[in-house]
């Protein structure tokens, strides 16, 4: 890296969600300490999807200083309390992966152990009855509660999100350059020296963020770091997305509806719906997928359906030399648990923590790659669980999923839960115990045993404990307003109502 410049020159290539999230976060955090440029091409455009998120985005907004109600108004966002998985274990059965806690844990054992003890003693209430977010989602309710009692994320309009972040980034000093990157020039050392745009304009930098999406122009096109293909674990390789008019007030959750060769998403926003079909092209043709999507959406289409092929997997190095892949250029794990924007957020916050003072330290690079790859592998395992642990055998796709080999790390997690009811979270893993428990039980994995500590509770105490939790959830949900009314009051859905 050239250290002669008084201020580090950071160049972001690409202005999708990844590029503008990085630009806004770096500009608002580093201010005048860096010289920040973003290059994007209107002619190429963005992937235009990525509208369902997970709770850490709330924190990203806080760190970057983005007011939540303004952000929601600008992106026509709704609140999201989790995902309803429909037809995943068997056709016709649903389960919910909520963002909340279920019941109350003891330090020795998660709540599922007490719930299972209760079942043995005749308390037949569902595990779902102990989760506030889940019950609020099904009741179509939402409110911010004291002490952060409700865990939530957002469903947002991706195009508006990038435009909003762009405004924030530019206000904080980021300079945007319009143009198509034609060439990536390297120093003799092999580091990236400059981006050359169509027409010859040259943009030099010290540090380059590759946010060029699936094209990965810098990290792969110029630096050739290689890609780990994970399609043998995550076999879907195609999607078609379409936006529709809303047909009812938006619900506070995303729907993931399995079909015989993949699944479909429904994401309710204030002003419209987001829909898509994700499928494995080996078992479903593009025409058949499009037919299925258009015959099952609710509401008139507002856009031409857009086909997006992808290869699930991860770039072998997320940071190489003076280039960091952020977003789809770093890999894609498919959208089932809405984790891509989160991985962007993790990469940006990690980079801000490891911002080089002068030369890039290889120790930083190694640490970054190790942490980012750990995140991706952990998310990958969680996603595989949904496909592997299924009783569906009704199509070649589901038979392939049920028969596939899975990573040892996931095998250990599943079998440990099956034998003992236990789940352990490793290395700041994104998905907490309750997420694993909800999805494992939802997919039909029931523990054969539970922690003996639950047996210590006398009958009346256990009954009171369980009833107290259920009553509390029910009373809190009853006191919450309807989600769409809360959104309208919180962030002015007037624009949506007028549309
Ligand atoms: P892009 O949006 O593709 O942006 C790339 C940028 O690079 C654009 O600005 C483009 O113009 C620019 N560019 C490319 N080449 C050049 C060039 N030669 N010159 C100049 N500029 C160039 N994530 C979630 O978190 N939740 C979801 O629900 C979700 N759903 C998804 C559904 C599908 C089907 C897919 C495919 C992805 C989904 N994602 C989701 C992922 C999410 O869409 C992406 O992580 C997010 O949009 C970031 O994309 P990006 O900015 O990396 O790439």
């Amino acid at each position: 890296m050239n250290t002669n410049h008084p201020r580090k020159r950071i160049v972001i290539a690409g202005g999708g969600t990844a590029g503008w999230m990085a630009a806004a976060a770096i500009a608002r955090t580093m201010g005048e300490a860096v010289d920040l440029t973003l290059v994007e091409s209107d002619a190429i455009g963005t992937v235009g999807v990525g509208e369902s998120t997970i709770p850490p985005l709330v924190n990203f907004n806080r760190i970057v200083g983005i007011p939540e109600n303004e952000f929601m108004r600008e992106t026509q966002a709704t609140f999201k309390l989790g995902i309803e998985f429909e037809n995943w274990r068997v056709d016709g059965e649903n389960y919910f992966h909520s963002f909340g806690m279920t019941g109350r844990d003891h330090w020795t054992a998660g709540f599922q152990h007490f719930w299972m003890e209760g079942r043995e003693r005749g308390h037949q209430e569902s595990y779902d009855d102990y989760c506030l977010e889940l019950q609020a989602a099904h009741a179509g309710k939402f409110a911010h509660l004291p002490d952060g009692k409700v865990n939530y994320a957002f469903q947002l309009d991706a195009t508006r999100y990038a435009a909003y972040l762009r405004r924030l980034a530019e206000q904080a000093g980021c300079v945007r350059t319009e143009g198509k990157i034609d060439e990536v020039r390297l120093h003799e050392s092999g580091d990236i020296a400059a981006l050359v745009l169509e027409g010859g304009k040259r943009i030099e930098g010290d540090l380059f963020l590759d946010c060029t999406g699936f094209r990965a122009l810098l990290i792969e096109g110029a630096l050739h770091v290689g890609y780990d293909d994970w399609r043998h674990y995550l076999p879907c390789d195609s999607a078609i997305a379409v936006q529709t008019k809303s047909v009812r007030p938006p619900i506070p959750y995303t729907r993931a509806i399995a079909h015989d060769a993949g699944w479909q998403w429904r994401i309710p926003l204030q002003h419209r719906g987001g829909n898509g079909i994700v499928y494995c092209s080996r078992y479903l043709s593009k025409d058949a997928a499009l037919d299925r999507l258009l015959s099952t959406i609710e509401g008139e289409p507002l856009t031409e359906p857009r086909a997006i092929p992808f290869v699930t997997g991860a770039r072998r190095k997320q940071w190489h030399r003076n280039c960091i892949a952020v977003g789809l250029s770093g890999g894609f794990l498919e959208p089932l648990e809405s984790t891509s924007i989160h991985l962007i957020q993790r990469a940006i916050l990690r980079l801000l923590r490891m911002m080089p003072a002068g030369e890039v330290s290889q120790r930083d690079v190694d640490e970054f790659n190790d942490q980012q790859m750990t995140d991706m592998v952990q998310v990958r395992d969680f996603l595989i669980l949904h496909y592997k642990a299924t009783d569906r055998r009704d199509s070649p796709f589901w038979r392939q999923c049920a028969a596939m080999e899975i990573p040892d790390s996931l095998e250990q997690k599943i079998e440990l839960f099956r034998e003992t009811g236990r789940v352990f979270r490793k290395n700041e893993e994104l998905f907490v115990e309750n997420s694993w428990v909800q999805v494992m039980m939802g997919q039909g994995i029931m523990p054969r045993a539970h922690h003996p500590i639950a047996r210590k509770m006398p009958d009346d105490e256990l009954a009171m404990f369980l009833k107290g939790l259920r009553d509390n959830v029910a009373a809190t949900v009853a006191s919450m307003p309807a989600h769409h009314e809360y959104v309208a009051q919180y962030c002015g859905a007037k624009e949506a109502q007028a549309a």
Side-chain angles (χ1 to χ4, degrees):
M1 185 189 312
N2 182 344
T3 50
N4 296 332
H5 291 271
R7 294 197 299 161
K8 188 171 305 301
R9 297 165 305 169
I10 300 179
V11 178
I12 300 175
T17 300
W20 285 116
M21 275 179 86
I26 294 170
R28 285 167 82 103
T29 309
M30 300 290 293
E32 306 208 326
V34 296
D35 195 336
L36 187 62
T37 306
L38 184 145
V39 187
E40 68 175 325
S41 161
D42 281 342
I44 292 176
T46 67
V47 73
V49 281
E51 308 204 314
S52 191
T53 68
I54 54 175
L57 191 61
V58 174
N59 201 32
F60 180 81
N61 284 347
R62 280 195 199 121
I63 292 172
V64 180
I66 296 177
E68 187 176 274
N69 52 356
E70 177 187 291
F71 150 81
M72 289 190 68
R73 188 163 43 244
E74 293 291 332
T75 63
Q76 288 294 299
T78 54
F79 292 103
K80 175 182 170 191
L81 293 166
I83 304 175
E84 177 96 337
F85 286 93
E86 305 176 22
N87 309 334
W88 282 82
R89 187 182 76 78
V90 288
D91 206 359
E93 195 181 283
N94 300 353
Y95 71 91
F96 200 89
H97 172 199
S98 83
F99 295 142
M101 283 293 299
T102 302
R104 198 181 320 135
D105 296 341
H106 183 259
W107 69 268
T108 56
F111 174 72
Q112 69 273 16
H113 298 269
F114 298 89
W115 174 75
M116 285 187 279
E117 179 68 20
R119 300 276 284 193
E120 277 188 12
R121 295 195 211 169
H123 301 285
Q124 291 307 314
E125 291 81 7
S126 158
Y127 189 69
D128 294 355
D129 293 349
Y130 300 88
C131 180
L132 174 61
E133 288 80 354
L134 189 157
Q135 293 299 328
H138 280 160
K141 297 200 165 184
F142 184 85
H144 290 95
L145 296 179
D147 304 323
K149 202 172 154 194
V150 171
N151 294 288
Y152 62 90
F154 311 99
Q155 302 167 130
L156 52 83
D157 180 314
T159 307
R160 286 171 182 249
Y161 187 40
Y164 173 57
L165 291 168
R166 174 179 165 185
R167 259 199 324 279
L168 298 181
E170 288 183 320
Q171 280 161 8
C174 175
V175 175
R176 175 189 184 271
T177 299
E178 167 64 34
K180 183 166 175 275
I181 301 162
D182 225 10
E183 193 192 336
V184 180
R185 285 263 163 86
L186 303 184
H187 288 296
E188 266 181 20
S189 66
D191 282 4
I192 296 178
L195 306 180
V196 182
L197 309 190
E198 231 173 40
K201 185 170 176 180
R202 193 181 150 95
I203 299 175
E204 295 185 349
D206 303 312
L207 204 59
F208 291 81
L209 270 56
D210 186 343
C211 301
T212 60
F214 288 130
R215 288 178 181 80
L217 287 182
L218 284 64
I219 196 82
E220 195 61 58
L223 299 182
H224 313 293
V225 300
Y227 193 75
D228 281 336
D229 183 335
W230 287 342
R231 276 176 297 182
H232 52 292
Y233 290 140
L234 297 170
C236 291
D237 59 5
S238 306
I240 305 176
V242 68
Q243 298 171 4
T244 49
K245 275 193 174 167
S246 304
V247 292
R248 61 176 64 84
I251 51 174
Y253 60 91
T254 295
R255 292 174 65 194
I257 310 157
H259 60 76
D260 60 15
W263 61 283
Q264 285 178 241
W265 78 78
R266 294 229 182 123
I267 303 174
L269 308 180
Q270 290 183 46
H271 61 314
R272 63 161 172 83
N275 310 267
I277 184 164
V278 176
Y279 61 98
C280 177
S281 60
R282 190 167 158 203
Y283 299 116
L284 195 67
S285 70
K286 188 170 158 191
D287 288 348
L290 180 62
D291 276 354
R292 185 166 303 174
L293 176 65
L294 294 179
S295 64
T296 50
I297 48 174
E298 295 176 304
E300 198 185 308
L302 295 170
T303 51
E304 277 301 308
R306 181 166 182 194
I308 310 166
F310 56 83
V311 176
T312 51
R315 204 66 61 196
R316 289 200 184 114
K317 290 179 185 170
Q318 305 287 313
W319 185 342
H320 185 54
R321 297 186 169 276
N322 61 341
C323 174
I324 297 129
V326 182
L328 296 173
S329 62
F332 184 52
L333 300 178
E334 90 128 270
L336 187 56
E337 284 280 359
S338 329
T339 43
S340 275
I341 292 175
H342 175 73
L343 291 169
I344 293 171
Q345 165 180 340
R346 292 274 260 214
I348 295 168
L349 298 183
R350 238 167 227 147
L351 172 62
L352 282 166
R353 286 196 195 102
M354 296 185 193
M355 187 59 77
E359 296 287 329
V360 169
S361 152
Q362 190 57 40
R363 299 268 179 208
D364 269 341
V365 173
D366 294 345
E367 187 61 37
F368 184 97
N369 283 329
D370 185 41
Q371 291 186 14
Q372 200 70 15
M373 192 54 99
T374 301
D375 280 353
M376 293 182 89
V377 166
Q378 288 174 338
V379 170
R380 178 199 70 186
D381 282 6
F382 191 60
L383 295 179
I384 298 171
L385 170 67
H386 300 66
Y387 288 100
K388 172 71 182 176
T390 178
D391 292 339
R392 285 190 73 148
R393 299 289 185 275
D394 53 299
S395 65
F397 173 78
W398 288 109
R399 288 194 287 277
Q400 176 187 321
C401 291
M404 77 177 154
E405 291 211 0
I406 58 171
D408 292 345
S409 44
L410 177 59
E411 180 93 32
Q412 160 69 9
K413 216 143 194 161
I414 292 176
E415 293 312 318
L416 179 66
F417 183 71
R418 205 192 300 277
E419 285 173 23
T420 68
R422 286 187 250 281
V423 176
F424 290 97
R425 188 177 176 210
K426 287 188 184 153
N427 300 332
E428 299 177 54
E429 181 177 349
L430 169 61
F431 290 105
V432 296
E433 181 174 3
N434 192 47
S435 288
W436 281 94
V437 171
Q438 289 179 92
V439 175
M440 288 206 263
M441 294 206 305
Q443 296 282 154
I445 304 169
M446 284 307 289
R448 289 196 279 266
H450 56 272
H451 198 296
I453 191 123
R455 303 228 164 83
K456 249 184 77 187
M457 269 184 148
D459 282 347
D460 53 346
E461 205 181 300
L462 181 65
M464 239 169 56
F465 172 63
L466 294 174
K467 183 171 182 315
L469 291 168
R470 282 196 310 271
D471 288 353
N472 194 280
V473 167
T476 309
V477 171
S479 71
M480 291 163 85
H483 167 249
H484 64 282
E485 286 166 9
Y486 190 82
V487 169
Q489 167 266 316
Y490 182 64
C491 57
K494 292 192 190 78
E495 188 186 336
Q497 286 158 1

